[in-house]
Amino acid sequence: MTSTGSSRRTFIAGAGAGAVATAGALSAGVATAPAAVAAPPHGESDGRRVAVLGGGVAGLTAAHELAERGYAVTVYERRALGGKARSMDVPGSARGGRRPLPAEHGFRFIPGIYHNLPDTMRRIPFPGNANGVWDNLVAPREMMFARAGGREDLRGPIPWPDHSPAELTPEELRRALTGILQTLVRLPLHETAYFVDRVLVFLTSCDERRTEVWERTPWWDFVRAARMSSEYQRILAVGITRNIVATKAEEASTRTVGTLGEAFVFNVLGRGADGPPDRILNLPTNEAWIDPWEAHLRSLGVEFRIGWTVREVQYGNGRVSGVSVEGPDGARQTVTADHYVSALPVEHARRTWSAGLRAADPMLGRCDKLETDWMTGIQFYLTERAPLVHGHLNCIDSPWSLTAIQQAEHWPARNFPADYGDGTAVDCLSVDISEWDKPGILYGKTAKQCTREEVAREVWAQLKASLNDTGKALLSDSKLHSWFLDPGVDGLGTPHPTNQDELLIHPVGTLHNRPSAGTRIPNFFLSGDYVAVDIDLATMEGANASARAAVNCLLDRDGSKAERCTVRPMYRAPELESAKRHDRWRHRLGLRNIFDLG
């Protein structure tokens, strides 16, 4: 097994050679705010200047909404636009005029439960697409739970839009959910029935019960996993929490897991959805989305300072007085604007908040209690396409909680061997590693204890254990071209491994430490997937929604007449509202939910 990504590198994303050259020229100068741009139809801003700190999905969304409303926006990004959502080139992999092999922090997943992010995607022009970048979303046809030890893999089509009941009554929901679980999971009937009852408890729970009780109840306890079979535990307790939200089932907030599950249930049943439950991009992320987004924002007058690191948000006279940034040359300077939007991930953002800033708003201090964990991607490039599944696969028995997808078949506009690499790699198997603290099967070490090469070999071994265990060698060592591990991970195999791109997780009680987009500092706003929005999970949708909320707060503080951003909440089934109202009275009386039989 050879590595094409065994050393740490910095990647600078751009819309093309011209964009990169422009970014380089800008970063060489003084980081002052740009001149005002012409105000579009949304409203006038009088050339007010905004510094957006961070160029991930949250920062780019905030820049997009502000630029459309006539604000002069400068985005400061230390590494590359797109953040955890970006794709990147594998260094040194291109031959014969081809593109470098595409790599990524982790594979993109944009389900139909998202509404705010798709709205932004529709407003990003893309050649030949009537609906912009949104038209680059495609729906995998199926999914699979891959089992180890010779057990049958569970494969099923993704239902859309066939499972759409006329009315979402509890009995109709029970029937539909039971049918779906029996088809996909094949648990003992009594365990399926019990889990469906637990789902009904959550679906009919009032908001107060969700916030006061289920937020403080671990998912493992809510679904009574300790009483159930190992299959039930692996799929419905551990599989849902560790592989999807990167949180341990014994710690994960039931409110968080349940809210996400509720949205997927409605999506599968054809309700409240922007599209199918499973959607991915039809090209590498930067080609399909991030590069067109950057180009569009530049056309709106947004300026980018790529390679600039935010060091401290300074406070004085009741306001943010400036931001200390470090340029590509290592020199520090202070940049000023009328307003500041902090769009850095929480683990990076809270390090930039000065003592004065924290004193001005105690809410910022609560963010220190928010927890992050590792969920990081590795790509395996194959010289022969493996006959796995036409969609995502979940290796539910893998110690490192692996999920994966083969990408080439979903990129119809690209001929993988002709367009990428050296012409011999025909597919990219993109894998997410969700568990970094349990021993593997090859070396008996955790992922953090392994070197980069050992991580690659261990993940490959776990994939084969899940996929080659029924007599067919679906993955072959002889067909492995190379691999690439996210460069944000460093120091593996040493006492102090680091990860630049950790993921916010949701142990019980997390909700109460999530901040609002508006702060007590009149010109300072928060944007990121840790900010309290309707989707209670670290997602691109949450990042997008929080940026919209931050812009709305800014517009209110500015007294702007511009149209406010639409922030669409998650779908609520009207048929269940009466049950929730009934549950509110039961909750206030200290009674269980009517479906909660213990």
Side-chain angles (χ1 to χ4, degrees), residues 32-71:
T32 56
V37 297
H42 285 291
E44 298 292 336
S45 73
D46 297 325
R48 303 275 283 173
R49 301 168 301 140
V50 182
V52 175
L53 313 178
V57 170
L60 294 179
T61 301
H64 194 158
E65 299 292 348
L66 288 164
E68 285 189 342
R69 288 157 178 80
Y71 283 82

Short mmCIF file of all heavy atoms in Angstrom, two decimals, residues 32-71:
data_model
loop_
_atom_site.label_atom_id
_atom_site.label_comp_id
_atom_site.label_asym_id
_atom_site.label_seq_id
_atom_site.Cartn_x
_atom_site.Cartn_y
_atom_site.Cartn_z
N THR A 32 -6.89 45.70 5.13
CA THR A 32 -7.92 46.66 5.47
C THR A 32 -9.20 46.28 4.77
O THR A 32 -9.20 45.50 3.83
CB THR A 32 -7.50 48.08 5.04
OG1 THR A 32 -7.21 48.06 3.64
CG2 THR A 32 -6.29 48.53 5.81
N ALA A 33 -10.32 46.82 5.22
CA ALA A 33 -11.60 46.46 4.62
C ALA A 33 -11.71 47.02 3.21
O ALA A 33 -11.15 48.07 2.90
CB ALA A 33 -12.75 47.02 5.48
N PRO A 34 -12.42 46.34 2.32
CA PRO A 34 -12.51 46.78 0.94
C PRO A 34 -13.46 47.96 0.78
O PRO A 34 -14.21 48.32 1.68
CB PRO A 34 -13.07 45.54 0.23
CG PRO A 34 -13.89 44.86 1.29
CD PRO A 34 -13.16 45.11 2.57
N ALA A 35 -13.41 48.53 -0.40
CA ALA A 35 -14.33 49.62 -0.71
C ALA A 35 -15.74 49.08 -0.83
O ALA A 35 -15.96 47.90 -1.06
CB ALA A 35 -13.91 50.29 -2.03
N ALA A 36 -16.72 49.97 -0.68
CA ALA A 36 -18.11 49.55 -0.76
C ALA A 36 -18.45 49.10 -2.17
O ALA A 36 -17.90 49.57 -3.15
CB ALA A 36 -19.02 50.72 -0.38
N VAL A 37 -19.36 48.13 -2.26
CA VAL A 37 -19.83 47.67 -3.55
C VAL A 37 -21.22 48.22 -3.79
O VAL A 37 -21.91 48.64 -2.87
CB VAL A 37 -19.86 46.12 -3.60
CG1 VAL A 37 -18.47 45.57 -3.45
CG2 VAL A 37 -20.76 45.56 -2.52
N ALA A 38 -21.64 48.19 -5.05
CA ALA A 38 -22.97 48.68 -5.39
C ALA A 38 -24.02 47.81 -4.73
O ALA A 38 -23.92 46.60 -4.72
CB ALA A 38 -23.15 48.66 -6.91
N ALA A 39 -25.04 48.46 -4.18
CA ALA A 39 -26.07 47.73 -3.47
C ALA A 39 -27.04 47.07 -4.44
O ALA A 39 -27.59 47.72 -5.31
CB ALA A 39 -26.85 48.69 -2.56
N PRO A 40 -27.26 45.75 -4.31
CA PRO A 40 -28.26 45.08 -5.13
C PRO A 40 -29.66 45.40 -4.65
O PRO A 40 -29.84 46.15 -3.68
CB PRO A 40 -27.92 43.61 -4.95
CG PRO A 40 -27.04 43.51 -3.77
CD PRO A 40 -26.50 44.87 -3.48
N PRO A 41 -30.70 44.79 -5.27
CA PRO A 41 -32.08 45.19 -4.98
C PRO A 41 -32.53 44.96 -3.55
O PRO A 41 -33.52 45.51 -3.13
CB PRO A 41 -32.89 44.30 -5.94
CG PRO A 41 -31.96 43.97 -7.05
CD PRO A 41 -30.61 43.88 -6.42
N HIS A 42 -31.80 44.13 -2.76
CA HIS A 42 -32.27 43.84 -1.40
C HIS A 42 -32.32 45.08 -0.53
O HIS A 42 -33.10 45.16 0.40
CB HIS A 42 -31.37 42.79 -0.76
CG HIS A 42 -31.59 41.42 -1.29
ND1 HIS A 42 -32.72 40.70 -1.04
CD2 HIS A 42 -30.81 40.63 -2.08
CE1 HIS A 42 -32.65 39.53 -1.62
NE2 HIS A 42 -31.50 39.45 -2.27
N GLY A 43 -31.48 46.05 -0.75
CA GLY A 43 -31.49 47.24 0.10
C GLY A 43 -30.12 47.88 0.16
O GLY A 43 -29.12 47.32 -0.22
N GLU A 44 -30.08 49.09 0.66
CA GLU A 44 -28.83 49.85 0.73
C GLU A 44 -28.16 49.66 2.09
O GLU A 44 -28.80 49.56 3.11
CB GLU A 44 -29.13 51.33 0.51
CG GLU A 44 -29.74 51.65 -0.84
CD GLU A 44 -28.78 51.44 -1.99
OE1 GLU A 44 -27.56 51.49 -1.76
OE2 GLU A 44 -29.24 51.20 -3.11
N SER A 45 -26.83 49.63 2.07
CA SER A 45 -26.09 49.51 3.32
C SER A 45 -25.20 50.72 3.56
O SER A 45 -24.53 50.79 4.57
CB SER A 45 -25.21 48.26 3.29
OG SER A 45 -24.11 48.47 2.41
N ASP A 46 -25.18 51.66 2.60
CA ASP A 46 -24.31 52.84 2.70
C ASP A 46 -22.84 52.44 2.80
O ASP A 46 -22.04 53.10 3.45
CB ASP A 46 -24.71 53.71 3.90
CG ASP A 46 -26.11 54.27 3.76
OD1 ASP A 46 -26.52 54.56 2.63
OD2 ASP A 46 -26.80 54.38 4.79
N GLY A 47 -22.49 51.31 2.16
CA GLY A 47 -21.09 50.90 2.13
C GLY A 47 -20.55 50.43 3.44
O GLY A 47 -19.34 50.46 3.67
N ARG A 48 -21.39 49.98 4.35
CA ARG A 48 -20.93 49.51 5.65
C ARG A 48 -20.03 48.30 5.46
O ARG A 48 -20.29 47.44 4.62
CB ARG A 48 -22.12 49.16 6.54
CG ARG A 48 -23.09 50.30 6.74
CD ARG A 48 -22.67 51.22 7.85
NE ARG A 48 -22.97 50.64 9.17
CZ ARG A 48 -22.57 51.19 10.30
NH1 ARG A 48 -21.85 52.31 10.28
NH2 ARG A 48 -22.88 50.64 11.46
N ARG A 49 -18.97 48.22 6.26
CA ARG A 49 -17.95 47.20 6.08
C ARG A 49 -18.11 46.09 7.13
O ARG A 49 -18.33 46.37 8.31
CB ARG A 49 -16.57 47.83 6.19
CG ARG A 49 -16.32 48.93 5.17
CD ARG A 49 -15.05 49.70 5.52
NE ARG A 49 -15.15 50.30 6.84
CZ ARG A 49 -14.14 50.34 7.73
NH1 ARG A 49 -12.97 49.82 7.41
NH2 ARG A 49 -14.30 50.91 8.91
N VAL A 50 -17.98 44.85 6.68
CA VAL A 50 -18.09 43.69 7.56
C VAL A 50 -16.87 42.81 7.38
O VAL A 50 -16.51 42.46 6.25
CB VAL A 50 -19.36 42.88 7.28
CG1 VAL A 50 -19.47 41.71 8.27
CG2 VAL A 50 -20.60 43.76 7.36
N ALA A 51 -16.25 42.44 8.49
CA ALA A 51 -15.17 41.45 8.47
C ALA A 51 -15.75 40.11 8.88
O ALA A 51 -16.31 39.97 9.98
CB ALA A 51 -14.05 41.86 9.43
N VAL A 52 -15.67 39.13 7.99
CA VAL A 52 -16.13 37.77 8.27
C VAL A 52 -14.90 36.94 8.61
O VAL A 52 -13.99 36.81 7.79
CB VAL A 52 -16.90 37.17 7.08
CG1 VAL A 52 -17.26 35.72 7.35
CG2 VAL A 52 -18.16 38.00 6.80
N LEU A 53 -14.89 36.37 9.79
CA LEU A 53 -13.72 35.64 10.28
C LEU A 53 -13.93 34.16 10.07
O LEU A 53 -14.63 33.49 10.83
CB LEU A 53 -13.50 35.95 11.76
CG LEU A 53 -13.57 37.44 12.15
CD1 LEU A 53 -13.38 37.61 13.65
CD2 LEU A 53 -12.56 38.26 11.37
N GLY A 54 -13.37 33.62 9.01
CA GLY A 54 -13.53 32.21 8.67
C GLY A 54 -14.22 32.05 7.34
O GLY A 54 -15.22 32.72 7.07
N GLY A 55 -13.68 31.15 6.50
CA GLY A 55 -14.22 30.97 5.16
C GLY A 55 -14.80 29.60 4.90
O GLY A 55 -14.76 29.10 3.77
N GLY A 56 -15.37 28.97 5.94
CA GLY A 56 -16.09 27.72 5.75
C GLY A 56 -17.51 27.99 5.28
O GLY A 56 -17.84 29.09 4.82
N VAL A 57 -18.39 27.00 5.42
CA VAL A 57 -19.77 27.17 4.96
C VAL A 57 -20.44 28.33 5.69
O VAL A 57 -21.17 29.13 5.07
CB VAL A 57 -20.56 25.86 5.17
CG1 VAL A 57 -22.05 26.08 4.92
CG2 VAL A 57 -20.03 24.78 4.23
N ALA A 58 -20.21 28.47 7.00
CA ALA A 58 -20.82 29.57 7.74
C ALA A 58 -20.32 30.92 7.24
O ALA A 58 -21.11 31.84 6.99
CB ALA A 58 -20.53 29.42 9.23
N GLY A 59 -19.01 31.07 7.09
CA GLY A 59 -18.45 32.34 6.65
C GLY A 59 -18.86 32.70 5.23
O GLY A 59 -19.19 33.86 4.94
N LEU A 60 -18.84 31.73 4.33
CA LEU A 60 -19.22 32.02 2.95
C LEU A 60 -20.70 32.35 2.85
O LEU A 60 -21.11 33.20 2.05
CB LEU A 60 -18.88 30.83 2.05
CG LEU A 60 -17.38 30.52 1.90
CD1 LEU A 60 -17.18 29.30 1.01
CD2 LEU A 60 -16.63 31.73 1.33
N THR A 61 -21.53 31.70 3.66
CA THR A 61 -22.96 32.03 3.66
C THR A 61 -23.19 33.45 4.16
O THR A 61 -23.97 34.21 3.56
CB THR A 61 -23.73 31.04 4.55
OG1 THR A 61 -23.55 29.71 4.06
CG2 THR A 61 -25.23 31.37 4.55
N ALA A 62 -22.52 33.81 5.26
CA ALA A 62 -22.67 35.18 5.77
C ALA A 62 -22.21 36.19 4.74
O ALA A 62 -22.88 37.22 4.51
CB ALA A 62 -21.87 35.33 7.07
N ALA A 63 -21.08 35.93 4.08
CA ALA A 63 -20.58 36.84 3.05
C ALA A 63 -21.58 36.95 1.91
O ALA A 63 -21.82 38.05 1.37
CB ALA A 63 -19.24 36.34 2.53
N HIS A 64 -22.18 35.84 1.53
CA HIS A 64 -23.15 35.81 0.43
C HIS A 64 -24.36 36.69 0.76
O HIS A 64 -24.76 37.56 -0.04
CB HIS A 64 -23.59 34.36 0.20
CG HIS A 64 -24.32 34.13 -1.08
ND1 HIS A 64 -24.41 32.89 -1.67
CD2 HIS A 64 -25.02 34.96 -1.89
CE1 HIS A 64 -25.11 32.98 -2.78
NE2 HIS A 64 -25.51 34.22 -2.92
N GLU A 65 -24.94 36.46 1.94
CA GLU A 65 -26.14 37.21 2.31
C GLU A 65 -25.84 38.70 2.48
O GLU A 65 -26.64 39.56 2.07
CB GLU A 65 -26.73 36.64 3.60
CG GLU A 65 -27.16 35.18 3.52
CD GLU A 65 -28.35 34.94 2.61
OE1 GLU A 65 -29.01 35.93 2.19
OE2 GLU A 65 -28.62 33.78 2.29
N LEU A 66 -24.70 39.02 3.05
CA LEU A 66 -24.35 40.43 3.26
C LEU A 66 -24.04 41.13 1.94
O LEU A 66 -24.46 42.27 1.72
CB LEU A 66 -23.14 40.52 4.19
CG LEU A 66 -23.40 40.19 5.66
CD1 LEU A 66 -22.10 39.92 6.40
CD2 LEU A 66 -24.19 41.32 6.34
N ALA A 67 -23.32 40.45 1.05
CA ALA A 67 -22.98 41.06 -0.23
C ALA A 67 -24.23 41.33 -1.06
O ALA A 67 -24.32 42.35 -1.75
CB ALA A 67 -22.02 40.17 -1.00
N GLU A 68 -25.20 40.43 -1.00
CA GLU A 68 -26.45 40.65 -1.73
C GLU A 68 -27.20 41.86 -1.19
O GLU A 68 -28.03 42.44 -1.91
CB GLU A 68 -27.34 39.42 -1.63
CG GLU A 68 -26.89 38.26 -2.50
CD GLU A 68 -27.90 37.14 -2.56
OE1 GLU A 68 -28.80 37.08 -1.68
OE2 GLU A 68 -27.81 36.32 -3.49
N ARG A 69 -26.91 42.24 0.02
CA ARG A 69 -27.58 43.39 0.63
C ARG A 69 -26.70 44.64 0.61
O ARG A 69 -26.97 45.61 1.31
CB ARG A 69 -28.01 43.02 2.05
CG ARG A 69 -29.19 42.05 2.04
CD ARG A 69 -29.30 41.23 3.31
NE ARG A 69 -30.47 40.36 3.25
CZ ARG A 69 -30.52 39.20 2.60
NH1 ARG A 69 -29.45 38.75 1.98
NH2 ARG A 69 -31.63 38.49 2.57
N GLY A 70 -25.64 44.62 -0.18
CA GLY A 70 -24.85 45.81 -0.41
C GLY A 70 -23.73 46.07 0.55
O GLY A 70 -23.10 47.13 0.50
N TYR A 71 -23.44 45.16 1.47
CA TYR A 71 -22.35 45.36 2.41
C TYR A 71 -21.01 45.07 1.74
O TYR A 71 -20.90 44.22 0.85
CB TYR A 71 -22.52 44.47 3.64
CG TYR A 71 -23.56 45.00 4.60
CD1 TYR A 71 -24.92 44.75 4.39
CD2 TYR A 71 -23.19 45.76 5.71
CE1 TYR A 71 -25.89 45.24 5.26
CE2 TYR A 71 -24.15 46.25 6.58
CZ TYR A 71 -25.48 46.00 6.36
OH TYR A 71 -26.44 46.50 7.22
#
